[in-house]
Amino acid sequence: MGHVELPESDIPGSVGLAGAPLPRTTSNRPRSRELEQLWSAPTVQRERSDQTPAPKRGPGRYLPLVVGADLLGLGIPAWLILRMGGLPQAQLAAIVAALVWCGARLARGRYATRRPGGLRGALTAPGDWLLLIGALAVLSTVFGEPVRPVTAVVALLPGLLVTVAVSLVCQLPWPGRRERAEHRVLVVGEASGVDRAVRLLGSRTDHAYNVVAAIPVGEASLGCAAPVPGRLAPAPADDDVSTVLGGAFAHEADLALVIPGPQLSGERLRQLSWGLHDGGLQLSVLSDLSDIAAGRVRPASAAGLTLLHIVPPLRQGPQMALKGVVDRTGAALGLVLLAPLLFLIGAAVRLTSEGPVFHRQIRQGRHNRPFTMWKFRTMVEDAETHKADLLAANENDGAMFKIRRDPRVTRIGRLLRRSSLDELPQLINVVRGEMSLVGPRPPLPEEVSRYDERELRRLAVRPGLTGLWQVSGRSDLSWQETVSLDLWYVDNWSVATDLGLMARTLRAVTDGRGAY
C-alpha cells in the first residue's frame, strides 16, 4: 500500500519510512498508545539543530564592489570633465554628485538584494540616472552654481556606463561561484515523472532546487539515484501525508515537489496538500508545461479551477522595437570601435593563406529568408569542394556539419574560431537588419531542408551573433540540445534576457569551450 518492507526494522509489520512505522489503513492500525504516537505525522515544522540555515536576503558579497563602482565610476570622470570645463569647484561638485548617485540608488532599494547588480541593476540604472540629473539640477539652482546642461550630461554619463557594466559583470557565472540551493526538495509522483524531474533539476545549477529524496507512487522502480525513504500506494491511503512528511523530515527537505498523474490527481492531491501545509512543509506542483519562462505564466482561478494563462511570445511591441534599436546601434558602434582589430585580423588572414579575407555564405534568416552572412575566412580557399569527402567524419548528430579537427581550417583560422573573432564581420549583417546581436544560430539552406516542423520554429526570430547556443557549449552540444536551447529563446526572449546573454558571452568567448 503506502510503504515498503524493511526487514531490519525492530517493529513488526510494514513500514513506509526507513524504520518509522506507518499504518496501512485505519482499520488495521494497532491501538497501542505508544505506536499511535509514533505513527502520528508531525504537525509542525521541527527544529533541526544541524541544518544549515537558509541564506538571508542580505546585500551579499558584491555590495562593496557595486557601491565602490557607483562612487568612483561617477565621481572621478565627473571631476575630470568638470575641471576641464572650467568649473571652479569641480572636485566638490563631483563628490556631491557621487554621493547623490549612491543615495538615490540606496533610497530606491538597489543595494537591498542578495546579489546587488545583475540584470536588475543594469535595467534600473538609467531611471536612477535620470533622477540624479534632476536632483543635481535642483541643487545647482538652489546653491547658485549653474552648469551647462551638455557639460553636466557628459560628466555624469561615464558613471551610468560603469554602473551598467559592473552590474552585468556581477551577473556572470564566474568559475567557482555557485549559489547555495535555497530549497531541499522531496519529489513525489509516479516513477516516470520523478525520473524526469530529478534528471532535469540535476542537469543544471541555475536554480534554487536541490533534490534530496523521492517518494514514488506505486511499486515501479526509479531510474534516478535519489534516495527513496518510502512509497505511496497506487490508490489513496490514510498514510499518504505521514509518508511524505516523514520522508521530508528524514532528509531535511523544506519543499515537496508533487508531480500529478493518474495515480496522484484530483481529490488525492488536494488532501495531500492540506496535510503537507498543516505539517509545515511547502508544496509545489509540477506542471506538464515545459520550456516556458515564469514571466509568461499568469495564474488565475474560475469556478474552483486553477488556470494558467500563457502569454504569447514577444513578436512585436515596445520590446521588439527596443531590440532593433539596440541591435543596430550596438553593431554600428562595435564596427567603429573594433575597426583597428578588424583591420589587423583581415591582414593576418590575407597574409597567412591564399584566398579572400572574408567568407560570404548564404544562410537562412527570419521566416526562412536567405541572406549573405559575413565571416573572416578560417578555411582554405577551396574548402567547400572538399566537404563531400568529409561527410562521413561529421561529429554532429543532427543537421549541422561539425568536425573537431577539420583539416580545411587554417592555422590562423583555428585561433580565430577558438576566440570567436571570425564572427565579428557579422556586425555588418546586424546593421543591415538581417541578424540580431542575440538569437539562434543562423542555419545553412541544406540544414533547413532537413528540418521538421519543430525545428523550423527556430526561424521565427532573427538569427543572432550570440545566443544560448553560444554560451552553453556551442559545438559540444548535441543537435537536440541545440534545438531545445534555440526554441526556449524563440518563445521566451526579452530585452533583459538579451542583456544577460551578452554578458555571459564574455565568459564563453574567453573559455573557448565547444569552439572549433
Side-chain angles (χ1 to χ4, degrees), residues 176-510:
R177 192 186 83 182
R178 181 188 177 94
E179 297 295 327
R180 179 185 300 172
E182 295 182 1
H183 291 291
R184 294 175 59 84
V185 179
L186 175 71
V187 183
V188 182
E190 297 177 32
S192 59
V194 170
D195 284 336
R196 177 175 177 269
V198 173
R199 174 176 55 83
L200 293 177
L201 289 174
S203 65
R204 298 176 60 171
T205 59
D206 56 347
H207 57 79
Y209 298 91
N210 177 29
V211 177
V212 296
I215 293 184
V217 179
E219 299 300 325
S221 60
L222 293 180
C224 63
V228 181
R231 289 178 177 270
L232 297 183
D238 292 343
D239 59 349
D240 283 353
V241 173
S242 58
T243 299
V244 176
L245 285 176
F249 182 76
H251 290 273
E252 298 187 344
D254 56 23
L255 173 69
L257 177 61
V258 179
I259 306 170
Q263 297 175 340
L264 188 59
S265 62
E267 188 63 24
R268 188 181 192 185
L269 179 57
R270 186 185 185 202
Q271 293 189 14
L272 182 62
S273 70
W274 291 343
L276 298 186
H277 286 151
D278 290 343
L281 185 65
Q282 298 182 58
L283 171 68
S284 290
V285 178
L286 183 65
S287 169
D288 286 336
L289 297 170
S290 61
D291 292 330
I292 296 178
R296 293 179 55 211
V297 181
R298 303 285 189 272
S301 60
L305 301 173
T306 300
L307 311 178
L308 296 179
H309 290 285
I310 309 301
V311 177
L314 291 171
R315 295 291 183 267
Q316 55 187 1
Q319 287 213 57
M320 181 64 77
L322 179 59
K323 180 181 176 71
V325 172
V326 171
D327 282 343
R328 297 197 178 194
T329 304
L333 185 61
L335 286 173
V336 173
L337 296 178
L338 297 173
L341 177 62
L342 296 174
F343 176 79
L344 292 176
I345 295 174
V349 171
R350 185 68 182 88
L351 295 175
T352 55
S353 62
E354 295 183 358
V357 171
F358 297 104
H359 175 64
R360 290 176 291 181
Q361 193 175 47
I362 298 298
R363 298 290 181 113
Q364 300 302 115
R366 187 182 183 190
H367 303 320
N368 206 12
R369 294 172 184 162
F371 69 96
T372 301
M373 189 183 76
W374 290 67
K375 296 177 64 175
F376 282 119
R377 181 175 57 83
T378 58
M379 292 185 174
V380 295
E381 187 176 6
D382 58 345
E384 291 298 324
T385 61
H386 298 289
K387 182 177 180 179
D389 301 331
L390 298 172
L391 289 177
N394 185 19
E395 299 178 16
N396 193 278
D397 58 350
M400 279 195 301
F401 177 80
K402 282 289 181 180
I403 302 176
R404 190 178 301 272
R405 296 292 182 183
D406 196 321
R408 302 171 299 168
V409 179
T410 63
R411 182 175 300 179
I412 188 68
R414 201 170 302 281
L415 175 62
L416 293 177
R417 289 188 171 206
R418 180 74 178 176
S419 59
S420 297
L421 293 175
D422 62 316
E423 311 282 353
L424 289 180
Q426 292 170 32
L427 291 171
I428 298 173
N429 295 113
V430 178
V431 171
R432 295 173 60 177
E434 299 162 337
M435 292 180 63
S436 173
L437 291 177
V438 181
R441 171 189 170 274
L444 292 163
E446 61 198 59
E447 296 172 2
V448 176
S449 66
R450 300 196 297 272
Y451 279 6
D452 57 23
E453 184 176 356
R454 172 175 174 266
E455 293 163 344
L456 281 172
R457 188 168 175 78
R458 299 174 71 232
L459 305 178
V461 299
R462 289 187 180 91
L465 185 63
T466 186
L468 272 174
W469 179 80
Q470 174 87 5
V471 303
S472 303
R474 289 184 272 189
S475 298
D476 283 345
L477 300 173
S478 68
W479 172 245
Q480 288 304 320
E481 288 172 331
T482 300
V483 173
S484 295
L485 289 172
D486 285 344
L487 292 183
W488 188 95
Y489 178 84
V490 166
D491 287 339
N492 300 292
W493 81 270
S494 65
V495 172
T497 302
D498 283 1
L499 291 175
L501 288 174
M502 284 189 281
R504 290 172 60 189
T505 299
L506 176 62
R507 185 195 170 190
V509 170
T510 55

Side-chain angles (χ1 to χ4, degrees), residues 11 21 23 26 28-40:
I11 301 176
T26 53
N28 65 8
R29 184 182 298 176
R31 297 302 176 185
S32 166
R33 183 179 183 84
E34 291 78 8
L35 290 180
E36 283 287 349
Q37 292 176 350
L38 287 174
W39 281 328
S40 62

Side-chain angles (χ1 to χ4, degrees), residues 26-273:
T26 53
S27 60
N28 65 8
R29 184 182 298 176
R31 297 302 176 185
S32 166
R33 183 179 183 84
E34 291 78 8
L35 290 180
E36 283 287 349
Q37 292 176 350
L38 287 174
W39 281 328
S40 62
T43 56
V44 295
Q45 192 169 7
R46 306 185 190 182
E47 294 183 359
R48 301 164 183 162
S49 58
D50 59 342
Q51 182 178 2
T52 303
K56 296 180 180 180
R57 294 283 181 180
R61 58 178 176 173
Y62 294 100
L63 182 59
L65 172 63
V66 174
V67 175
D70 287 349
L71 279 171
L72 301 179
L74 187 135
I76 294 177
W79 170 58
L80 293 175
I81 294 173
L82 292 176
R83 189 177 68 171
M84 288 188 296
L87 189 69
Q89 300 182 356
Q91 185 176 0
L92 178 60
I95 293 175
V96 171
L99 293 176
V100 172
W101 175 232
C102 288
R105 288 178 60 75
L106 177 64
R108 304 190 76 181
R110 307 312 183 203
Y111 304 139
T113 58
R114 185 164 54 91
R115 186 196 297 175
L119 287 179
R120 182 173 179 270
L123 293 174
T124 56
D128 298 341
W129 188 73
L130 293 176
L131 178 63
L132 168 69
I133 291 179
L136 293 179
V138 172
L139 291 175
S140 176
T141 302
V142 170
F143 290 99
E145 292 289 344
V147 181
R148 294 177 57 192
V150 174
T151 303
V153 170
V154 172
L156 299 176
L157 184 58
L160 172 62
L161 299 178
V162 169
T163 295
V164 171
V166 171
S167 297
L168 294 178
V169 167
C170 289
Q171 183 74 15
L172 291 175
W174 298 108
R177 192 186 83 182
R178 181 188 177 94
E179 297 295 327
R180 179 185 300 172
E182 295 182 1
H183 291 291
R184 294 175 59 84
V185 179
L186 175 71
V187 183
V188 182
E190 297 177 32
S192 59
V194 170
D195 284 336
R196 177 175 177 269
V198 173
R199 174 176 55 83
L200 293 177
L201 289 174
S203 65
R204 298 176 60 171
T205 59
D206 56 347
H207 57 79
Y209 298 91
N210 177 29
V211 177
V212 296
I215 293 184
V217 179
E219 299 300 325
S221 60
L222 293 180
C224 63
V228 181
R231 289 178 177 270
L232 297 183
D238 292 343
D239 59 349
D240 283 353
V241 173
S242 58
T243 299
V244 176
L245 285 176
F249 182 76
H251 290 273
E252 298 187 344
D254 56 23
L255 173 69
L257 177 61
V258 179
I259 306 170
Q263 297 175 340
L264 188 59
S265 62
E267 188 63 24
R268 188 181 192 185
L269 179 57
R270 186 185 185 202
Q271 293 189 14
L272 182 62
S273 70

